[in-house]
Amino acid sequence: MAGKPTLHYFNGRGRMECIRWLLAAAGVEFEEKFIEKPEDLDKLKNDGSLMFQQVPMVEIDGMKLVQTRAILNYIATKYNLYGKDMKERALIDMYSEGVADLGEMIMHFPLCPPAEKDAKLTLIREKTTNRYLPAFENVLKSHGQDYLVGNKLSRADIHLVELLYYVEELDPSLLANFPLLKALKARVSSLLAVKKFLQPGSQRKPPMDEKIIKVKKVFRF
Amino acid sequence: MAGKPKLHYFDARGRMEAIRWLLAAAGAEFEEKLIESSEDLDKLRYDGSLVFQQVPMVEIDGMKLVQTRAILNYIATKYDLYGKDMKERALIDMYTEGVADLGEMIMLLPLCPPDQKNTKLTLIRERATNCYLPAFENVLKSHRQDYLVGNKLSKADIHLVELLYYVEELDPSLLANFPLLKGLKTRVSNLPAVKKFLQPGSQRKLPGGEKSLERARKIFKF
């Protein structure tokens, strides 16, 4: 299992960011090979590195893994962030998928046609406030523990805290009525590895800007 | 762990069908509580049975699980259809997600506005023929074994074969140049549990039609 994982993606958050967060939170150093022009992506396609002709792709432990969830599941298992048994895994999966559903809406929002933006934003706010944040707040309330599952840090906490940062970027007031979520965010953010990742100069990527949106359109991401 | 799993969904394939296939292929009997009106859905929501207010929901082993992948992963682990170690699981996940990507396109096609349908269909054909089917054919070609991963039936084979039935429903000619996929489809279809599930009268759901779509729109309000 020599060498650090190598992440192949463009220089932006997109579908790779949750993988960066998970590796970072696990204290794992990783390398990044950025796709900067169409030829870079073609090269990966042509040398058979991308099973479905898509990125993210992560080289890890001799494998060239594609598909975000396959990559996340492997990393979580490897670094013991996937619960202690199948029932804990089920809860972790359930919560992770909920995070992914809201995260997907937020991720696609900048790519939304201008005419639809207001409606989309309203929908995101509504789902955040009435569906997703209450669900997670209630999990924490139900057991009063520091982490979502099994009284131990898992990928579910990391994915959720990452999402809370994006919700906060959208509108900080959305977190107002969720004290346990705010506490989880603070707690996870103070873990050494996460704290390091949150500092400027880390491999964490900033929000999309116009330039990146154009690049994504070229690559049909 | 008493009692059979109970599936909560409406009477259609949708996001529950992959779960029905997996349970059936695992030889696990299950019950279905069909949602027939928006009141049925509201009831599930009000009694706190749905963590994110959505179905599919499966009651299994004392849990009320939502989120299709969470449910599938649990079932696969329980019935030993998830490989023997983490590297096999990674391959199974990678293949499963590829199946899900093409499957999602096919599932959403009926919801497509009429003026976009042809474009969508062309895209599906193109992706199936040039990306997804060759990818899986190549996996089988690379090791010449009977199943995708670890020379043993896994959830990846079951999800793929289910997808191949949908591709065939769309256009049988799409499978023409993929002999190993056709071989896998036949092989998995002949397993006793799958054979039983493929027969009329089983819990397998038929393609929806306009009426099914209308009913879904009423229940889920979209």
Side-chain angles (χ1 to χ4, degrees):
Chain A
M1 299 205 177
K4 305 173 187 174
T6 300
L7 277 48
H8 296 260
Y9 203 62
F10 74 104
N11 189 0
R13 287 177 177 174
R15 295 190 181 286
M16 187 63 98
E17 192 72 354
C18 53
I19 294 168
R20 297 181 184 108
W21 265 82
L22 191 60
L23 283 168
V28 178
E29 287 182 22
F30 56 91
E31 286 171 9
E32 301 197 78
K33 197 131 192 291
F34 293 124
I35 294 165
E36 281 159 344
K37 34 192 202 326
E39 295 77 57
D40 295 337
L41 184 59
D42 289 339
K43 185 168 185 298
L44 282 173
K45 286 178 177 179
N46 293 335
D47 64 26
S49 295
L50 308 178
M51 184 175 176
F52 304 112
Q53 314 307 324
Q54 294 168 321
V55 287
M57 187 271 275
V58 173
E59 297 182 74
I60 184 167
D61 297 341
M63 298 177 293
K64 289 184 178 179
L65 281 185
V66 298
Q67 292 290 351
T68 310
R69 287 171 173 94
I71 297 164
L72 290 170
N73 291 357
Y74 184 80
I75 293 166
T77 303
K78 179 169 181 171
Y79 295 103
N80 214 260
L81 292 163
Y82 217 163
K84 72 179 201 295
D85 57 32
M86 57 191 276
K87 282 198 167 185
E88 284 196 355
R89 263 202 314 275
L91 296 179
I92 288 168
D93 281 342
M94 188 163 67
Y95 304 155
S96 298
E97 288 295 307
V99 168
D101 282 352
L102 182 58
E104 189 88 356
M105 282 188 241
I106 294 177
M107 172 170 60
H108 285 139
F109 178 60
L111 299 168
C112 191
E116 294 171 26
K117 264 198 155 116
D118 273 342
K120 255 292 132 75
L121 188 52
T122 303
L123 182 67
I124 290 172
R125 288 171 177 284
E126 194 267 321
K127 294 267 174 260
T128 299
T129 310
N130 297 335
R131 174 174 289 187
Y132 293 102
L133 296 192
F136 296 119
E137 182 82 3
N138 287 340
V139 171
L140 292 171
K141 198 183 291 181
S142 74
H143 54 53
Q145 291 169 355
D146 279 357
Y147 299 108
L148 287 166
V149 179
N151 206 14
K152 183 173 181 261
L153 179 76
S154 76
R155 60 180 294 199
D157 304 291
I158 297 159
H159 298 325
L160 177 55
V161 167
E162 180 191 356
L163 178 69
L164 295 178
Y165 273 97
Y166 301 152
V167 169
E168 191 179 50
E169 265 173 19
L170 208 59
D171 178 354
S173 75
L174 288 168
L175 295 180
N177 299 323
F178 302 101
L180 298 179
L181 291 181
K182 285 195 282 198
L184 179 74
K185 183 169 172 285
R187 189 179 306 117
V188 170
S189 301
S190 332
L191 298 170
L192 247 41
V194 181
K195 193 171 190 168
K196 204 168 129 193
F197 186 63
L198 288 168
Q199 268 148 21
S202 79
Q203 285 160 304
R204 189 166 66 119
K205 302 294 174 276
M208 272 212 275
D209 60 19
E210 274 312 307
K211 201 166 68 162
I212 296 180
I213 293 175
K214 246 188 266 186
V215 168
K216 285 191 101 174
K217 285 205 163 115
V218 166
F219 293 165
R220 289 193 284 132
F221 282 171
Chain B
M1 296 206 180
K4 305 175 187 171
K6 194 183 275 184
L7 278 48
H8 295 260
Y9 203 65
F10 72 114
D11 187 13
R13 288 174 174 175
R15 295 189 180 288
M16 186 62 99
E17 194 71 353
I19 294 167
R20 296 182 185 109
W21 266 82
L22 190 61
L23 282 167
E29 286 181 23
F30 57 92
E31 285 169 11
E32 300 197 78
K33 191 120 199 295
L34 297 175
I35 294 166
E36 282 159 342
S37 63
S38 61
E39 290 74 42
D40 290 342
L41 183 59
D42 288 339
K43 185 169 185 299
L44 280 173
R45 286 171 167 165
Y46 291 146
D47 65 26
S49 295
L50 308 177
V51 175
F52 303 113
Q53 316 307 326
Q54 294 167 319
V55 287
M57 186 270 276
V58 173
E59 297 182 69
I60 183 169
D61 297 340
M63 299 178 291
K64 290 185 178 180
L65 281 185
V66 297
Q67 292 288 350
T68 310
R69 287 171 172 93
I71 297 164
L72 290 170
N73 290 356
Y74 184 79
I75 293 165
T77 302
K78 179 171 180 164
Y79 293 100
D80 209 45
L81 291 163
Y82 216 163
K84 72 180 200 298
D85 58 33
M86 58 190 274
K87 281 200 169 185
E88 285 196 354
R89 264 200 316 273
L91 295 180
I92 289 168
D93 282 341
M94 187 161 68
Y95 303 160
T96 298
E97 289 296 306
V99 167
D101 282 352
L102 182 59
E104 188 90 353
M105 284 189 241
I106 293 176
M107 173 174 61
L108 295 177
L109 183 64
L111 298 169
C112 193
D115 59 342
Q116 290 174 25
K117 261 200 162 112
N118 272 337
T119 313
K120 268 278 139 74
L121 189 51
T122 302
L123 180 66
I124 290 172
R125 287 168 178 284
E126 190 270 322
R127 300 268 77 211
T129 307
N130 296 336
C131 175
Y132 293 101
L133 299 185
F136 296 118
E137 182 82 4
N138 287 339
V139 170
L140 293 171
K141 198 182 290 182
S142 76
H143 55 53
R144 290 280 165 184
Q145 291 170 355
D146 280 355
Y147 299 107
L148 286 166
V149 178
N151 205 14
K152 182 174 183 258
L153 181 75
S154 76
K155 73 190 292 258
D157 304 291
I158 296 158
H159 298 324
L160 176 56
V161 167
E162 180 192 356
L163 178 69
L164 294 177
Y165 273 96
Y166 302 153
V167 168
E168 190 179 50
E169 266 173 18
L170 208 59
D171 178 355
S173 74
L174 288 168
L175 295 180
N177 299 324
F178 302 102
L180 298 179
L181 291 182
K182 285 195 279 196
L184 179 75
K185 183 170 174 284
T186 304
R187 190 178 309 116
V188 169
S189 301
N190 287 334
L191 297 170
V194 180
K195 194 169 192 169
K196 202 168 132 193
F197 186 63
L198 287 168
Q199 268 148 22
S202 79
Q203 285 159 304
R204 188 166 65 121
K205 301 293 174 276
L206 299 171
E210 267 317 301
K211 235 178 26 181
S212 174
L213 185 54
E214 275 317 301
R215 212 156 16 107
R217 286 192 192 278
K218 288 208 167 91
I219 297 170
F220 297 103
K221 303 198 173 121
F222 65 95

